[in-house]
Amino acid sequence: MGVLSPNENKTDEKAIRFELANSKNLLLIFTRNPELGKCKTRLAATVGKNVALDIYKFLLQHTANITKSIYATKQVFYSEEIWEKDTWDTSTYSKKIQKGTDLGERMFNAFNDGFNSGFEHIIVIGSDMYDLSTEDIENAFIHLNTNDYVIGPAIDGGYYLLGMKTPNSKLFKNKEWGTNTVLKSTLNDLKNTKTHILEAKNDVDVYEDIKDIEAFKPFIKNV
């Protein structure tokens, strides 16, 4: 990788924005309805259900903040039911229900619907990644210009982002969702493809994931 001068970097940023604005990009955001006792249950085992819910709402808002300006159509997929008035402003996000018997089937159906609607580059993310930034997602879309797939490994053995140009049902079958085998199994499916692997990041599942992060200190001060 070469080193860019400040002026070169500015030009590059403009090119990236122009490219994103004129491509058929779709961002899928998978989320759970933020209800007491139904989200961040492993975290709740340490911090309690109320604090876990507050943290999840904080993460939802963070996800909205980092995605609202991205040059892509944005769809939020709810786990249970669509909430009309919540974090996700309908002027920015369209709202849908996840459909399928497990996470893999639900993600594949969302991807497949997107491709059938004419989108060319589709990325899915969750809604509990404090480490994720706007730039990370924009860069993932850019990598899809020269790669067939892009994947963001999670430190716990899953992944926090997956992008592709054509539907591939194999990536969503025979996975033990929620375990540390998902990333390895998915990368095995992606052998012999042109895949860009992003930087590994930490998602938020248990207390140890947040205990040393300043942004979460107000939530866990009494733990």
Side-chain angles (χ1 to χ4, degrees), residues 73-74 76 99 186 198 203 209:
T73 297
K74 293 172 277 286
V76 177
K99 296 179 180 179
T186 304
L198 302 171
D203 58 6
D209 294 328

Side-chain angles (χ1 to χ4, degrees), residues 37-114:
K38 294 185 178 181
C39 53
K40 293 294 155 203
T41 53
R42 285 189 286 168
L43 178 62
T46 303
V47 305
K49 293 179 181 179
N50 288 292
V51 173
L53 178 59
D54 288 342
I55 289 173
Y56 188 55
K57 289 179 178 178
F58 169 75
L59 290 168
L60 291 178
Q61 187 59 59
H62 171 74
T63 306
N65 291 343
I66 65 169
T67 58
K68 62 186 178 182
S69 65
I70 288 174
Y71 290 100
T73 297
K74 293 172 277 286
Q75 298 176 348
V76 177
F77 282 79
Y78 291 76
S79 60
E80 305 294 334
E81 60 183 5
I82 293 174
W83 289 2
E84 295 300 332
K85 295 182 179 180
D86 60 3
T87 303
W88 311 102
D89 188 335
T90 54
S91 65
T92 303
Y93 305 91
S94 60
K95 301 183 176 186
K96 297 176 177 288
I97 293 286
Q98 299 172 27
K99 296 179 180 179
T101 57
D102 65 7
L103 178 59
E105 187 176 349
R106 294 194 292 268
M107 286 196 292
F108 175 72
N109 286 337
F111 270 101
N112 205 39
D113 287 349

Side-chain angles (χ1 to χ4, degrees), residues 156-159 174-188:
D156 65 3
Y159 57 77
N174 303 313
K175 304 291 185 295
E176 296 182 38
W177 301 105
T179 72
N180 61 5
T181 65
V182 172
L183 176 65
K184 182 178 180 180
S185 179
T186 304
L187 290 176
N188 189 57

Side-chain angles (χ1 to χ4, degrees), residues 7-207:
N7 288 336
E8 286 175 320
N9 191 48
K10 287 180 181 178
T11 302
D12 217 30
E13 287 177 358
K14 287 181 181 179
I16 286 174
R17 288 184 176 275
F18 178 81
E19 188 173 17
L20 286 172
N22 287 275
S23 60
K24 294 183 178 180
N25 292 339
L26 174 62
L27 179 64
L28 312 172
I29 303 169
F30 268 50
T31 183
R32 288 185 178 274
N33 291 78
E35 298 179 287
L36 188 66
K38 294 185 178 181
C39 53
K40 293 294 155 203
T41 53
R42 285 189 286 168
L43 178 62
T46 303
V47 305
K49 293 179 181 179
N50 288 292
V51 173
L53 178 59
D54 288 342
I55 289 173
Y56 188 55
K57 289 179 178 178
F58 169 75
L59 290 168
L60 291 178
Q61 187 59 59
H62 171 74
T63 306
N65 291 343
I66 65 169
T67 58
K68 62 186 178 182
S69 65
I70 288 174
Y71 290 100
T73 297
K74 293 172 277 286
Q75 298 176 348
V76 177
F77 282 79
Y78 291 76
S79 60
E80 305 294 334
E81 60 183 5
I82 293 174
W83 289 2
E84 295 300 332
K85 295 182 179 180
D86 60 3
T87 303
W88 311 102
D89 188 335
T90 54
S91 65
T92 303
Y93 305 91
S94 60
K95 301 183 176 186
K96 297 176 177 288
I97 293 286
Q98 299 172 27
K99 296 179 180 179
T101 57
D102 65 7
L103 178 59
E105 187 176 349
R106 294 194 292 268
M107 286 196 292
F108 175 72
N109 286 337
F111 270 101
N112 205 39
D113 287 349
F115 286 120
N116 287 338
S117 297
F119 291 100
E120 296 174 353
H121 296 172
I122 305 180
I123 285 174
V124 66
I125 63 170
S127 51
D128 58 357
M129 285 293 301
Y130 183 71
D131 282 353
L132 195 60
S133 69
T134 302
E135 183 181 18
D136 292 327
I137 301 169
E138 289 184 337
N139 286 340
F141 274 117
I142 296 303
H143 285 300
L144 278 177
N145 288 330
T146 53
N147 294 272
D148 298 319
Y149 301 93
V150 59
I151 190 166
I155 292 172
D156 65 3
Y159 57 77
Y160 61 85
L161 181 152
L162 178 66
M164 63 187 72
K165 291 179 178 177
T166 56
N168 183 347
S169 61
K170 184 179 180 181
L171 300 182
F172 305 102
K173 294 179 179 178
N174 303 313
K175 304 291 185 295
E176 296 182 38
W177 301 105
T179 72
N180 61 5
T181 65
V182 172
L183 176 65
K184 182 178 180 180
S185 179
T186 304
L187 290 176
N188 189 57
D189 292 337
L190 291 172
K191 283 182 178 178
N192 303 317
T193 68
K194 197 170 183 183
T195 299
H196 181 82
I197 301 176
L198 302 171
E199 178 185 358
K201 292 183 179 291
N202 182 50
D203 58 6
V204 176
D205 287 317
V206 296
Y207 177 70

